[in-house]
Every structure is written in structure tokens, then in C-alpha cells.
Amino acid sequence: MAGFARETMGLAILLLAILACSAELQRFESPAKPDGSLSILVVGDWGRKGQFNQSQVATQMGRIGEELDIDFVVSTGDNFYEDGLTGVDDKAFEESFTNIYTSKSLQKQWYSVLGNHDYRGDVLAQLSPVLRNIDSRWLCLRNFILNAEIVDFFFVDTTPLVESYWTNPEYHHYDWREVAPRENYIPNLLKDLDAALKESTAPWKIVVGHHTMRSVSDHGDTSELLALLLPVLKDNGVDLYVNGHDHCLEHISSKDSPIQYLTSGGGSKAWRGVFTPNSDKLQFFHDGQGFMSLQLTEAAANIVFYDVFGQELYQWSVTKNLHAAE
């Protein structure tokens, strides 16, 4: 009887936590270095059990991660191909994550969003704390905030925003549990994100999602994100939108706002051979495998893209006038 009471209380606490999270985005904290700086790596579209050069990219991430003394890793989604995980006991979790990213520098927290391929499997498995018991580095939630003192990262689950996954899934099955109906989920997400962005006082605001906002590669721009998500980002002074989805590396600058669009989706299979310019300013494009680093101080950001061999392909820096409003 006592065991049943404890189980019932545990379920009640879990329900309260879920209800609380529905009112606002869950928050996590990761301190900056003692000097106030932060270094991270960003990789996306990777989970192929080491194939398609995933292992080679992982090795170079480990080397660069050590050089930069990274604080954590961001995954931009499509974590497990082709169809996500089958459950919390799916060995693909270890075969594509734990056994691949073995370098000492990568034994830091990984903060991950879901991609469209992840939705083709058991989404709740990827979100489950059971995986964190298998590998404590793993943290994947639908929508959440990471406060790292000088920057707030806003992780956004973009797959439900794309209408075709709902209306024309072709032969794929998408796991919409805890999301459907779409017409309720999206307004609540945008409202919560807008409120969280307005509340943020961090010098830098960075939004991470899986789908492209702007891209010159295979998938191109995502119209739903431009219509629904981008206005929220513009209204709240977001500095960077970081994504995967297109299997490449690219930097595009908005022509009508300070937002920079950064694609890091070269974690494994790449080389799509597609280039379609859009109306914003293309700064850099690499149709191949690789990853990105981001180094931040309170007043400056430095972005570097690396290829599968760990060679630096492109670097971009920007400074922030913290006293512009004075």
C-alpha cells in the first residue's frame, strides 16, 4: 500500500511538472568560464552509427573541442537516422551517440532539439530521462531555455510548425503525441517563446531549431518558420538563429534585421549538390560535412566552420555595443 501511495504521489508530482512547463519554457543553467567567456560546438544531422563520415567528424570535434576548452555541445536535430529511436532500449542511441563521441573534450553536456527524422520514431524515447541514465551527457527536450550568463539559448522544436508533415506525410509516420492538435500547440509555443525572449536580459539571444530559416541548399527556406517564428525573433532582438536540416554548413545574413542564420547540419551524410540563392546575403556555404564552433564574451561573438578534416573553412566575428541605449 505504501508503495502504491509513493507511486501515486510521484505521478502527481510529474503531472504538476508537466502542467508548469506548459505555462513557460523549462530552464537550465550552464555557467560561463571564470573569465566570463563561453565556448561551444554545434553539430546536426549526425546519427548514422558512425557511417557517412560521422566518426571522422566526431574525431575532429574532439580535437577542436579540446583546443577551445568547450563548455558544452549543441545538437541541431535529426539525431538518429533514418526513423528516430524505436524506444528507450534502442541500441542506436549508444551506437550513434555514446560510442561515437568518445573524445575527452566531448564528455560535456549535450543540449539537443528534435528533427523531422526523430519524429518518425518514438519521440518520447528521445525525451525520456531513461536515456540520461544510459549517458548523462544527453539532454533533449521539445522547447527549453539554457542560461549561460552572457547568453540565453532558446531551443525550439520546429518540426510541428511544418504543415506538410501533418497533411502530406507520404509513407512516413510522425509521432505527434503530446503535440497534437497543431492549431493549439503552435500558438502556445510562440506565446511562451515571445514571453521568454522579452524576459531575457542576457547580452546575447540565440535561438536553436532544427529547420532552416534561410538556406541555399537542398531544403531551402522553411516558409512556416519565416511566417510564424521569424517575426518573434525580430521583435525580440535575437542575434543568431542556429539550425541543421540541410546537410551543409552556411552563414546567411538578414538584409532587414541584425539576425544571422547559421546552418550546422554536416554531422554525417552530406554533399547534396544543390545551390539555390535567396534574397538575403549569403556569407558562406560549404556543401559538405563538418561542424561549427561559437566563442562568446559579453561583447563579442566568434563563429568558425570546420570541415570533416577539422580544417577551418570560414570565420566570422561580431561585436556588441552594450551601451548603445545609454
Side-chain angles (χ1 to χ4, degrees):
M1 193 70 175
F4 175 76
R6 283 194 298 270
E7 183 178 348
T8 303
M9 182 176 292
L11 289 171
I13 291 171
L14 177 60
L15 178 59
L16 287 173
I18 293 172
L19 290 173
C21 289
S22 68
E24 62 178 25
L25 303 183
Q26 192 169 355
R27 296 173 182 268
F28 299 88
E29 293 187 359
S30 179
K33 291 181 172 65
D35 65 359
S37 67
L38 188 77
S39 298
I40 71 170
L41 296 181
V42 182
V43 66
D45 304 83
W46 41 267
R48 298 183 186 271
K49 302 179 181 179
Q51 298 177 346
F52 296 98
N53 285 341
Q54 183 194 359
S55 293
Q56 286 84 340
V57 172
T59 297
Q60 297 306 321
M61 286 176 61
R63 182 177 65 83
I64 299 299
E66 182 176 0
E67 290 179 7
L68 300 182
D69 187 21
I70 61 168
D71 298 283
F72 54 85
V73 180
V74 167
S75 169
T76 58
D78 276 1
N79 306 313
F80 302 99
Y81 285 95
E82 286 285 331
D83 298 311
L85 297 177
T86 59
V88 294
D89 57 350
D90 191 338
K91 292 301 180 184
F93 176 72
E94 292 162 281
E95 294 168 348
S96 289
F97 178 61
T98 302
N99 299 344
I100 301 298
Y101 301 100
T102 56
S103 298
K104 182 178 179 181
S105 69
L106 303 182
Q107 306 309 303
K108 303 290 179 69
Q109 190 68 60
W110 284 56
Y111 297 98
S112 305
V113 292
L114 296 165
N116 53 296
H117 281 269
D118 300 311
Y119 263 93
R120 296 176 187 174
D122 184 344
V123 166
L124 301 187
Q126 281 202 53
L127 305 177
S128 173
V130 172
L131 295 188
R132 296 199 286 276
N133 292 334
I134 298 172
D135 192 322
S136 61
R137 295 177 295 171
W138 183 254
L139 179 63
C140 182
L141 297 172
R142 293 192 197 278
N143 305 288
F144 63 100
I145 302 168
L146 175 63
N147 173 259
E149 297 185 24
I150 59 173
V151 55
D152 279 341
F153 290 89
F154 301 84
F155 291 78
V156 178
D157 183 14
T158 59
T159 299
L161 276 69
V162 180
E163 189 173 5
S164 63
Y165 298 142
W166 298 79
T167 60
N168 187 29
E170 298 177 334
Y171 54 88
H172 300 299
H173 166 76
Y174 290 88
D175 184 0
W176 298 125
R177 287 177 296 169
E178 299 184 0
V179 173
R182 180 176 182 266
E183 58 267 24
N184 292 343
Y185 179 82
I186 293 176
N188 288 334
L189 166 60
L190 297 176
K191 175 176 63 68
D192 292 345
L193 177 62
D194 182 65
L197 284 165
K198 284 180 167 53
E199 185 180 323
S200 173
T201 59
W204 299 94
K205 298 178 185 180
I206 298 174
V207 174
V208 179
H210 174 65
H211 288 80
T212 56
M213 191 83 70
R214 289 292 204 188
S215 174
V216 299
S217 191
D218 187 33
H219 293 295
D221 300 348
T222 306
S223 59
E224 293 91 342
L225 267 63
L226 294 175
L228 299 170
L229 185 58
L230 183 56
V232 178
L233 273 54
K234 286 183 175 180
D235 287 348
N236 290 285
V238 168
D239 300 287
L240 309 176
Y241 176 73
V242 181
N243 61 272
H245 197 44
D246 264 334
H247 297 183
C248 63
L249 308 172
E250 58 186 328
H251 172 202
I252 296 174
S253 295
S254 171
K255 287 185 177 180
D256 62 3
S257 79
I259 295 177
Q260 307 297 316
Y261 306 109
L262 301 165
T263 297
S264 183
S268 59
K269 190 176 183 180
W271 307 107
R272 294 298 180 91
V274 176
F275 177 79
T276 306
N278 59 31
S279 59
D280 277 330
K281 183 178 181 181
L282 179 64
Q283 305 278 16
F284 168 76
F285 173 60
H286 174 62
D287 184 22
Q289 295 143 339
F291 57 99
M292 184 183 95
S293 71
L294 171 62
Q295 294 177 280
L296 286 169
T297 65
E298 189 176 31
N302 184 64
I303 293 153
V304 178
F305 284 110
Y306 305 87
D307 67 12
V308 64
F309 305 108
Q311 297 297 311
E312 183 177 315
L313 299 174
Y314 171 79
Q315 178 175 326
W316 181 82
S317 298
V318 65
T319 56
K320 183 180 285 284
N321 183 359
L322 298 177
H323 305 289
E326 296 182 4

